[in-house]
Amino acid sequence: MCGVLPNSHVEYESLQDETVQIIEDEVLVKCWGYKCNCAKTFLFYISSILLVGTPYLVLHWWSHYEAYLKCSRCSLSDADHVLLESEGQKYFHAVVTTDGICNDYAIGQLRYFIHQELKFIWSSSLNRFYRLHGLDDQSLTLSEILDGSKGHNSEVRQQMCFLYGENTMSVKVKSYWSLFVNEVVNPFYIFQVFSITLWSLDNYYYYAGCVLLLSALSIGISLWHTKQQSISLSKLAEESCSNKVTLQCENGKCVEVDSKYLVPGDVIIIPQHGCLMSCDAILLSGSCIVNESMLTGESVPVTKTQPSHSDAVYSLQEHKRHTLFSGTRVLQTRFYANHQVSALVVRTGFSTLKGELIRSIMFPKPIGFKFYQDSVKFILVLFAISLLGMAFCIYVFLRHKATLKELILRTLDVITIVVPPSLPAAMTSGTVYSQNRLKKLGVFCISPPRINVCGKMKVICFDKTGTLTEDGLDMWGVLPSNYAKFEVEPVLDIKKLPYKCHLVTAMATCHSLTHLEGNLVGDPLDVSMFEAINWELEEPASDTARFDNLAPAVVKPRILCGGEGSFLMTPFNESEIPYEVGILRQFPFTSAAQCMSVITRVLGSKFMTVYCKGAPEKIVSLCRKETVPRDLHRVLTNYASGGFRIIALAYRDLDPKFSWSQAQRARREVMECDLTFLGLLMLCNSLKVETLGVIHHLQTAKLRCVMVTGDNILTAVSVARDCGMVLPLENVIQVVVTQSEDGESVSLKLKPIGGGLYPESPRNDYSSDALITLDLGANWHFAVDGHSWKMINDHYPYLVPQIAAKGTIFARMLPDQKAQLVESLQNIDYIVTFCGDGANDCAALKTADVGVSLSEAEASVAAPFTSKHANIQCVLHLAREGRCALVTSFGLFKYMALYSLIQFFSTLILYNRSSILGDMQFLYIDLVITTSLTLVMGLTGPSKKLVPQRPTGSLVSLANIVPLTIHVMLVALMQIASLLFLTQQNWFVPIDPSTPGEHILSWENTTVFCTSCFQYLVLAALFSKGRPHRTPFYTNCLLTTLLITLGSFTTWLLVYPLKPVAEFFEVESLSDVEGQQMYRLYLLGFSAVHMILAFLVETCVADKKWMKTFLHCITRKHEPKSRYKKVCLDMATNDTLLNYVDS
């Protein structure tokens, strides 16, 4: 079994063209074949020499162009390179051909390529490439794995090593020189080098030197951070790949090998003292206690057990309770008699779960956030403006009969002015400050660009247990069932129950608890249940000899007391033998099974007993109908509506001939049938202290809150009402989809759940064979369980957008259904945040736009954000900081764009007057004013209150472009007006254009320079406005101080400049000429007028509702763009909740 090549029957889509194929893996990958073309390659090298290496730069930035520049299309069978397209991005890889023997391959060669650390193999028989998987893609049943896993012989191991390579996750840590070269050839720094060279040729030595120094400092800091991140990631990847493991060979002998030589199909021995897993492996025997916090963020150790014999096909997701994952730490093992704990290697290297997470960090998924897309468009617009400016410069300098050198330098200089080199760095400063503030609040981020995404979150999905409610559960009581009838009153003091009754024994044995360092660890529900009965758990020890060393754990009462009650199930016979119960076999809880069970034996008993606990609806389906109380649904509804977490219990006595060996090989489905219903277990799951306040703040800010839980739907509705997701007078309507027993017909009903304006009643059900209408004037919410959600997706997919748009409670949801719900919300244009504890929520956390894991770890790869405080206050922090960061990024972008355009206008106006800005003037504008202001503008903190108004997410929307255009017109108008006012002065003598050289010291220069300086300061203050998403800008002490200081100095420089200072800045100094001093004061008035007008634009035009309404009228926008708004509008317009549904 283990020596066979991985299966590949589901990964390929055949196309007519032999040069292309589609590989269906984690994402869709389109693959083209290419072969090196000698003629193209020769031309490429020649052009590289002639163009001074420019083609190499192009290939460094866009490597996939190598396919077009050096290769030609060919069939995949002949290709020595492949071009891949995945998620809108293209990649170019070499195809490696290696000699050797590989299983059934008679050709003696292995052709493959590596894409994002994954190997893709060529199959000659199928004439295609396919992804190399481990045993997880072999479609093996659990029985085949348990019976057929004997390990490899030496020959097969050599073949498998040749095929799979080493079991390592090597993250290359580049040298500082390599990092430096990669950083320098970045387009941003290439532009910096171009700008510095240009300024040096133009004798701007001071300015060029300062920019060079700042760039060198920026590169140094960037290299250090990149190096440290690379080292950390390398250590994280390699820490589990450098240990020794004990390998069981096919002949049964054990040898110790380095973990890097492990291959799928190997059988390894897990040491008793535990180890750090270096591969993904399924347990073959025994059980383990594992800490998975690094992968999932779950701080509570979990118990992993061997699977039972079954025809079910092995799946990593469905059988994760039987799988040990790479990077997790085995804390303790437990085995039967002399059988060691062994496991079958399933995946190695980057194919493991840890490898997938490492790859997600190395190759992050592109963030399709509109702000980042629009910023590129805006830079292209600025570049287009620079081309217009260059054309104007050519015209001006040709008119002035300038030299060729002067013409070229001045024309190229326009590009460096309009597209500022410091723009990318300025845009990220707000995100950096927000990340640091979040870290102080205990929220850690491994993907800083997603902080801006937080500013546009529209819906937040919360897990319930451990997220909205406390992790721990308080035992409230039990409701025993005797002869298919519930007791009249629940038993609140469980210690009063007879310790020998099946109900208590079920509570004592049906769990996955264990002792770790003297403490009882396991699921919080199991801990509460076990502690409530006052029993004790003994791990295997010498005194378990009476069980013939077959029982891995024994439970027994601490105090033997208690009386017989009327509800007592058939009691056990009194005996001299102490009452102890051995747990012989566990079938662990899984989300798919919704229950767990154990096989037990009472000391001295001649038969074994199966105990089972789980979701009531699941347990009822496993019980004999005559043992289930008829009023179960009414009782369950009553308690679940009160917010209780409800667990059902059942049992079955096995045949006395049923042996221990049979128990170890028994199939789960055989054991979990024909059970006798025992009763219900009720636990209180109280809200966390912070939950109510956070939900209130989010609801006030019009941020939609959704609960996604694996618990009972009525319990979830109760918690939703308690925490404020559903208000007292709001209605909850359950969507119920049922299927006939023959599976031929499906029906959909709407069932109001108690509370709100609709009392719960079966008569209020709405059938799907008629038009379904509701009072849409009232507030209402959908509630859906996992079964109905699956049926809706299968049979009514066109209703999914409506369910997603109005659903608030999603209960009994499996992990993959949680991720499916997130995708459904994203499909109707929601920016989705998912907050969970990281255990069963990993898929949803990864799928969401903003994933928040509640974990004690400082940083977890389970989600982009990790909160070390296990409450949902982190979501409030992220919403506030996200909005603050997004507004800051917008403000900085607009400021940098206007700073460029102000300088652009200043330069063109002065060029037209035969003047230019001086070296020190450029230094003062670019470094003293602009750089210092952009560094501190991001320090403005977030507002303490979230408001319903969300920050805009588009830079190129009309609502944003119109006020920005007005600002551009204002700055240009003020500079031109001040210069025209200068020409009206009697004492003014203009520059003579016929005079050779460029003139700096002139009244034209002084006027434009001083006017523009005030414009930089005014716009910096305006774009740092606080409310509603930030604190007022004056709370930013550094920014306020800087604005006052620079404003005062610029005023002094204009009104009363001393001669040494005037000479240093090359502006006109004080003189006794009549009218000049008054002119300076008038210039100050121009700046005051600009400040007032710009303030009116920001307060009366920008982000105002009337402006958006006016623009909607002009553009004739009659319906919203967002699909979720269209869905809600359509439902309201048609006056129906759901359209006609075919039964």
Side-chain angles (χ1 to χ4, degrees), residues 50 129 255 410 466 476 499 533 665 827 895 929 938 940 942 1079:
L50 295 176
F129 284 103
V255 294
R410 291 289 166 263
W476 185 79
Y499 65 89
I533 59 174
R665 296 178 60 84
N827 288 339
Y895 178 68
I929 294 181
T940 306
Y1079 171 74

Side-chain angles (χ1 to χ4, degrees), residues 669-814:
E669 58 269 23
V670 175
M671 294 292 98
E672 295 175 347
C673 66
D674 297 327
L675 303 178
T676 299
F677 189 80
L678 283 173
L680 300 176
L681 184 71
M682 280 81 74
L683 302 103
C684 293
N685 195 196
S686 57
L687 289 175
K688 291 183 177 179
V689 177
E690 302 84 3
T691 298
L692 191 59
V694 172
I695 296 296
H696 173 72
H697 278 93
L698 295 175
Q699 300 275 47
T700 303
K702 303 298 182 185
L703 291 174
R704 184 179 160 208
C705 297
V706 173
M707 184 190 299
V708 189
T709 178
D711 209 340
N712 180 279
I713 192 166
L714 296 177
T715 303
V717 170
S718 175
V719 173
R721 290 192 181 279
D722 290 343
C723 71
M725 281 189 189
V726 179
L727 298 178
L729 295 180
E730 293 180 337
N731 308 300
V732 177
I733 302 160
Q734 183 179 356
V735 182
V736 182
V737 183
T738 55
Q739 191 172 20
S740 61
E741 293 184 2
D742 57 11
E744 293 183 359
S745 62
V746 177
S747 62
L748 186 147
K749 292 184 179 180
L750 295 181
K751 176 186 175 183
I753 295 177
L757 298 179
Y758 290 128
E760 181 184 8
S761 169
R763 292 178 305 214
N764 289 332
D765 288 4
Y766 294 86
S767 176
S768 63
D769 56 4
L771 195 65
I772 304 168
T773 60
L774 283 175
D775 179 14
L776 292 173
N779 291 323
W780 52 274
H781 307 261
F782 273 147
V784 187
D785 62 22
H787 171 74
S788 294
W789 173 256
K790 180 180 182 300
M791 298 294 287
I792 291 169
N793 277 273
D794 292 343
H795 299 280
Y796 307 113
Y798 48 88
L799 295 182
V800 170
Q802 298 183 19
I803 301 295
K806 293 296 291 184
T808 300
I809 297 104
F810 295 85
R812 293 287 188 230
M813 297 287 278
L814 301 178

Side-chain angles (χ1 to χ4, degrees), residues 473 475 477-481 486 502-511 525-526 529 589 593-598 610-623 627-629 632-633 635-636 639-640 644-652 668 672 675-683 710-712 715 812:
L473 297 166
M475 182 63 65
V478 295
L479 188 63
S481 172
F486 283 118
H502 278 300
L503 185 61
V504 174
T505 308
M507 295 171 64
T509 57
C510 201
H511 55 72
L525 184 150
D526 290 343
M529 179 182 72
F589 175 85
Q594 293 187 315
C595 66
M596 76 162 292
S597 56
V598 291
V610 174
Y611 290 104
C612 186
K613 85 172 194 302
E617 54 268 32
K618 178 67 177 180
I619 297 300
V620 167
S621 69
L622 303 177
C623 290
T627 68
V628 180
L632 174 66
H633 178 71
V635 172
L636 190 63
Y639 283 107
F644 289 108
R645 177 87 179 268
I646 303 175
I647 302 295
L649 299 163
Y651 85 102
R652 175 163 72 97
R668 180 169 187 163
E672 295 175 347
L675 303 178
T676 299
F677 189 80
L678 283 173
L680 300 176
L681 184 71
M682 280 81 74
L683 302 103
D711 209 340
N712 180 279
T715 303
R812 293 287 188 230

Side-chain angles (χ1 to χ4, degrees), residues 2-295:
C2 300
V4 184
L5 273 173
N7 215 335
S8 54
H9 59 281
V10 295
E11 295 185 24
Y12 172 65
E13 181 180 326
S14 179
L15 298 176
Q16 296 295 325
D17 189 355
E18 291 186 355
T19 67
V20 61
Q21 76 167 82
I22 292 178
I23 304 172
E24 295 183 8
D25 192 49
E26 297 168 350
V27 294
L28 203 66
V29 179
K30 198 169 184 180
C31 177
W32 292 270
Y34 279 84
K35 197 175 186 67
C36 283
N37 185 308
C38 295
K40 283 187 175 182
T41 304
F42 177 75
L43 288 174
F44 174 80
Y45 289 134
I46 293 297
S47 60
S48 297
I49 294 171
L50 295 176
L51 298 174
V52 200
T54 302
Y56 274 105
L57 273 179
V58 173
L59 292 188
H60 180 82
W61 297 335
W62 301 287
S63 60
H64 62 275
Y65 281 139
E66 186 175 353
Y68 313 122
L69 296 177
K70 297 170 70 175
C71 302
S72 300
R73 282 279 293 274
C74 68
S75 65
L76 286 166
S77 58
D78 298 327
D80 52 28
H81 288 79
V82 288
L83 178 66
L84 305 180
E85 183 177 4
S86 174
E87 296 184 318
Q89 295 187 332
K90 291 186 176 181
Y91 309 87
F92 193 60
H93 300 293
V95 176
V96 179
T97 302
T98 308
D99 293 326
I101 301 172
C102 179
N103 270 343
D104 300 329
Y105 280 83
I107 58 174
Q109 286 187 334
L110 180 65
R111 290 184 72 232
Y112 66 91
F113 65 87
I114 304 292
H115 172 57
Q116 294 186 348
E117 304 297 343
L118 297 178
K119 185 180 284 189
F120 291 79
I121 303 291
W122 174 257
S123 170
S124 298
S125 58
L126 299 175
N127 201 36
R128 66 180 182 84
F129 284 103
Y130 64 90
R131 157 87 184 278
L132 180 63
H133 284 274
L135 299 186
D136 58 311
D137 192 51
Q138 290 275 9
S139 299
L140 298 171
T141 65
L142 295 177
S143 293
E144 288 173 336
I145 290 175
L146 293 171
D147 296 335
S149 300
K150 307 297 181 183
H152 293 309
N153 57 39
S154 58
E155 182 180 349
V156 173
R157 285 203 85 254
Q158 287 181 357
Q159 295 172 356
M160 296 294 280
C161 286
F162 173 72
L163 178 63
Y164 283 94
E166 292 186 348
N167 173 36
T168 56
M169 285 180 278
S170 178
V171 178
K172 186 178 179 181
V173 180
K174 295 181 179 179
S175 64
Y176 276 112
W177 172 250
S178 298
L179 291 173
F180 174 76
V181 172
N182 286 335
E183 192 79 11
V184 166
V185 296
N186 183 291
F188 164 64
Y189 285 112
I190 291 288
F191 187 58
Q192 286 276 41
V193 171
F194 166 76
S195 301
I196 291 170
T197 304
L198 187 65
W199 296 328
S200 299
L201 291 173
D202 203 19
N203 298 326
Y204 284 133
Y205 298 119
Y206 292 118
Y207 183 61
C210 289
V211 172
L212 179 63
L213 182 64
L214 288 174
S215 298
L217 183 63
S218 175
I219 290 175
I221 294 172
S222 176
L223 293 185
W224 184 84
H225 278 293
T226 304
K227 182 86 169 180
Q228 294 306 309
Q229 290 173 357
S230 182
I231 291 172
S232 299
L233 187 60
S234 179
K235 288 179 179 178
L236 178 67
E238 295 176 358
E239 65 179 356
S240 59
C241 300
S242 57
N243 54 346
K244 297 288 184 180
V245 294
T246 302
L247 189 68
Q248 181 178 305
C249 300
E250 191 178 36
N251 56 13
K253 293 184 179 180
C254 294
V255 294
E256 192 175 77
V257 298
D258 198 302
S259 63
K260 69 180 181 180
Y261 297 120
L262 290 177
V263 293
D266 280 337
V267 176
I268 57 175
I269 305 300
I270 310 298
Q272 184 177 0
H273 53 76
C275 65
L276 187 65
M277 290 300 297
S278 54
C279 60
D280 289 350
I282 180 173
L283 279 169
L284 299 176
S285 63
S287 60
C288 300
I289 302 170
V290 187
N291 184 345
E292 295 186 326
S293 60
M294 195 283 289
L295 294 183

